[in-house]
Amino acid sequence: MIHDLLIIGGGINGAALAREAAINGLSVVLVERGDLACATSSASTKLIHGGLRYLEYGDFGLVREALHERRRLLAAAPHVIRPMRFVLPYALSVRPKWMIRLGLRLYDFLGGKSRLPRSCSLRQSDRRLQAPLKRPFGGFVYTDCVTDDSRLTLLNAIDAAKHGADIRTRTEMLSAERDKDVWRVRLSDGSEARARVLANATGPWVMETLKRLGKKSTAHVRLVKGSHIVVPQLYDSDHAYVLQQPDRRIVFAIPYEQRFTLIGTTEISVRSPEATAPSDDEVEYLCEAVNRYFAKSISPADVVQSFAGVRPLYDDGATDARQVTRGYVLELDETGALLLSIFGGKVTTARCLGEEALALLAGPAGWQFYRSSRALVFPGGAIADFDEFLSHVRAFWPFLGTDRSLRMARAYGNLLHEMLGQVREEADMGRHFGAGFTEIEARWMRGCEWATTVEDCLWRRSKLGLHMTENERLAFEQWWGTPD
């Protein structure tokens, strides 16, 4: 069989392209040598946003596109994407107050019609927003969205598979060569796949993949490492903070997994895609960034998890890593069978990237193309009102409890009806592994979400690894090896 499209890479860009192509009725194969979202796509700051700070560098087109995608994604996946208020204290005199106010007004304007609240001033009398801070600050408040980046990537893959795509994880491209107008691709599972179009969606490995294919490119990527730390909850409220630093960087402090605070990110140019461990200096930097503002101080000893992702930013020649564009570039090689290479991009604009990639390929490949995904909900996302849906979940499965019901409603949306359709009491959930994680959910991850390892389950399909004890994780690992 000759497929229409073979995609190398199971990050957010590859999964979004697979979804767009499959929705358009194309025959699609996606191969990923590891797990879906196993690299950069699970190591973001978990934001669906326009990128307020990109306005400072004049990237108005990217911000507008991203804000419009924010609106679409919030409607399409209200279970894994939710609005959040961001508090921007005015301090350190890094940027003039008029500049921030003007930037926020422009941010609101570029977002167009939106059901999200507009930006406003931060009142020193607002105790809820001021409480975690060292002292009352002036400043601003605006709204963006947060997500679970791993699960959003997964939902793209699930929807692609629902529309006929063949998703193969733990499958590496060993070699690929053109045979007239068809690619012949040898895979690590011992098979050979043939496709009319090959898409290089390998993120920070895009140049390495081109080299393996024997191809040169006029485009290049700038590898920028972004590190994050997770600490016990710094404040008990569902809003985030945007902290300006003396070096003009921005550090976010975001409520995370109900009991923690996510802090990030740094921006450091690196040479290798494998540079995914935060350095001691980066951890110290993030702690100091928070301590400049918060009454509760933290140190590296408080960090319960740290992670970093290497962003494959399109190299536009900027000197400072902060100034490198977060936009994407699509490069099409038409010398024989088509080769598409993806440079750059971000979680928020991945759906748009997939759409533009299909539009670029449609003519040369002879495909019919429709912008079909714009109004299509993601799996589990057919929810009119999330709060009403959560109330329904708690009424139907009261034994789930407050925390577990919220976690599972956010993760699975109305797919919970498929997972728990025959469940009437706690005993029906099967073995309990700790932190509300049970056998029925683990089997769902294995059977419906391509999970093959403990790490897939505890750190990407969920973040339950943060909540479970070491003994609970070890017990689950033992069960996972012999689930039957």
Side-chain angles (χ1 to χ4, degrees):
M1 177 182 179
I2 300 177
H3 298 281
D4 294 310
L5 174 64
L6 190 148
I7 301 166
I8 312 166
I12 186 65
N13 288 340
L17 176 56
R19 177 179 184 250
E20 192 74 32
I23 289 170
N24 272 271
L26 301 177
S27 171
V28 180
V29 177
L30 181 150
V31 296
E32 163 56 53
R33 66 181 177 181
D35 184 27
L36 297 168
C38 66
T40 309
S41 297
S42 58
S44 76
T45 315
K46 324 300 181 191
L47 299 177
I48 297 295
H49 67 142
L52 177 63
R53 69 188 180 90
Y54 306 152
L55 294 176
E56 189 172 15
Y57 306 118
D59 220 338
F60 304 125
L62 171 64
V63 173
R64 181 180 182 277
E65 177 186 70
L67 287 172
H68 285 221
E69 283 302 297
R70 182 189 68 180
R71 183 178 69 247
R72 290 192 183 106
L73 292 172
L74 180 58
H79 51 320
V80 296
I81 299 172
R82 61 192 175 98
M84 183 172 286
R85 295 294 270 169
F86 285 74
V87 180
L88 200 167
Y90 182 71
L92 304 178
S93 300
V94 175
R95 296 168 180 86
K97 186 174 289 187
W98 66 264
M99 179 185 292
I100 300 173
R101 182 183 292 112
L102 180 62
L104 286 169
R105 287 180 179 174
L106 181 57
Y107 200 65
D108 290 337
F109 173 76
L110 291 174
K113 293 181 180 179
S114 173
R115 61 187 178 92
L116 300 180
R118 299 274 174 167
S119 60
C120 62
S121 296
L122 171 63
R123 299 188 303 273
Q124 293 191 6
S125 60
D126 192 328
R127 294 183 179 179
R128 184 176 65 90
L129 300 182
Q130 297 279 3
L133 303 174
K134 283 183 174 180
R135 60 177 177 81
F137 285 92
F140 304 91
V141 183
Y142 68 97
T143 304
D144 256 324
C145 293
V146 294
T147 190
D148 182 328
D149 48 7
S150 301
R151 290 207 66 82
L152 184 59
T153 303
L154 177 66
L155 291 181
N156 275 277
I158 290 174
D159 211 18
K162 174 184 172 184
H163 287 86
D166 181 4
I167 308 295
R168 303 186 196 180
T169 62
R170 266 77 189 192
T171 305
E172 184 176 2
M173 179 203 74
L174 299 180
S175 64
E177 58 182 23
R178 284 180 165 119
D179 182 4
K180 296 181 181 178
D181 60 349
V182 172
W183 283 97
R184 302 175 69 95
V185 183
R186 189 164 62 91
L187 302 173
S188 60
D189 62 4
S191 67
E192 180 184 85
R194 294 189 295 167
R196 293 183 178 87
V197 179
L198 186 65
N200 175 6
T202 52
W205 291 273
V206 60
M207 299 304 296
E208 179 183 309
T209 302
L210 282 171
K211 185 176 180 180
R212 291 177 61 193
L213 294 171
K215 298 297 173 184
K216 294 183 178 180
S217 170
T218 56
H220 297 281
V221 291
R222 178 88 167 266
L223 300 180
V224 177
K225 182 175 69 167
S227 294
H228 302 77
I229 58 175
V230 178
V231 299
Q233 190 176 61
L234 291 175
Y235 57 94
D236 185 16
S237 194
D238 194 27
H239 56 267
Y241 289 87
V242 185
L243 311 176
Q244 299 185 84
Q245 301 303 312
D247 60 3
R248 299 183 67 84
R249 289 180 180 172
I250 295 294
V251 171
F252 292 93
I254 303 172
Y256 189 59
E257 288 294 304
Q258 301 184 52
R259 292 169 44 200
F260 302 93
T261 301
L262 173 67
I263 300 166
T265 179
T266 60
E267 292 180 303
I268 297 177
S269 293
V270 295
R271 293 180 178 274
S272 170
E274 313 293 340
T276 56
S279 68
D280 292 343
D281 287 345
E282 287 178 288
V283 172
E284 186 68 42
Y285 174 87
L286 293 173
C287 289
E288 290 177 358
V290 166
N291 292 342
R292 289 189 176 96
Y293 288 86
F294 281 80
K296 184 176 181 179
S297 295
I298 60 171
S299 72
D302 296 306
V303 175
V304 297
Q305 184 195 16
S306 63
F307 60 87
V310 176
R311 305 169 190 138
L313 306 181
Y314 174 70
D315 192 349
D316 58 0
T319 303
D320 193 327
R322 292 173 297 170
Q323 300 177 17
V324 181
T325 181
R326 266 53 176 178
Y328 54 83
V329 170
L330 305 173
E331 184 178 81
L332 183 59
D333 180 349
E334 299 184 60
T335 54
L338 300 176
L339 171 63
L340 174 73
S341 295
I342 299 171
F343 299 84
K346 51 186 284 188
V347 172
T348 305
T349 55
R351 188 214 62 82
C352 188
L353 182 153
E355 184 178 85
E356 292 305 312
L358 259 290
L360 177 65
L361 288 167
W367 299 336
Q368 287 190 323
F369 168 63
Y370 305 96
R371 300 181 186 272
S372 307
S373 68
R374 291 189 173 190
L376 192 67
V377 299
F378 283 90
I383 299 170
D385 182 283
F386 181 80
D387 290 337
E388 289 183 6
F389 171 71
L390 180 59
S391 296
H392 163 77
V393 169
R394 287 171 173 168
F396 205 78
W397 299 288
F399 53 85
L400 292 177
T402 302
D403 291 346
R404 182 166 49 157
S405 61
L406 176 60
R407 177 184 69 78
M408 295 184 74
R410 283 282 176 210
Y412 304 105
N414 61 18
L415 290 178
L416 272 181
H417 290 287
E418 294 183 32
M419 182 194 297
L420 305 182
Q422 304 302 314
V423 171
R424 294 295 178 267
E425 57 184 21
E426 181 67 40
D428 297 332
M429 302 287 284
R431 180 172 172 176
H432 191 277
F433 302 110
F437 188 40
T438 59
E439 183 177 340
I440 196 169
E441 188 175 2
R443 290 186 181 277
W444 175 273
M445 292 176 179
R446 187 194 292 272
C448 303
E449 297 184 348
W450 299 282
T452 61
T453 71
V454 170
E455 184 180 358
D456 295 351
C457 297
L458 300 187
W459 297 105
R460 282 186 288 276
R461 304 304 181 277
S462 75
K463 302 297 182 289
L464 286 163
L466 273 173
H467 302 270
M468 296 169 72
T469 67
E470 183 177 359
N471 286 338
E472 287 171 339
R473 291 194 294 268
L474 288 172
F476 173 65
E477 183 174 2
Q478 185 177 18
W479 176 88
W480 184 258
T482 56
D484 298 321

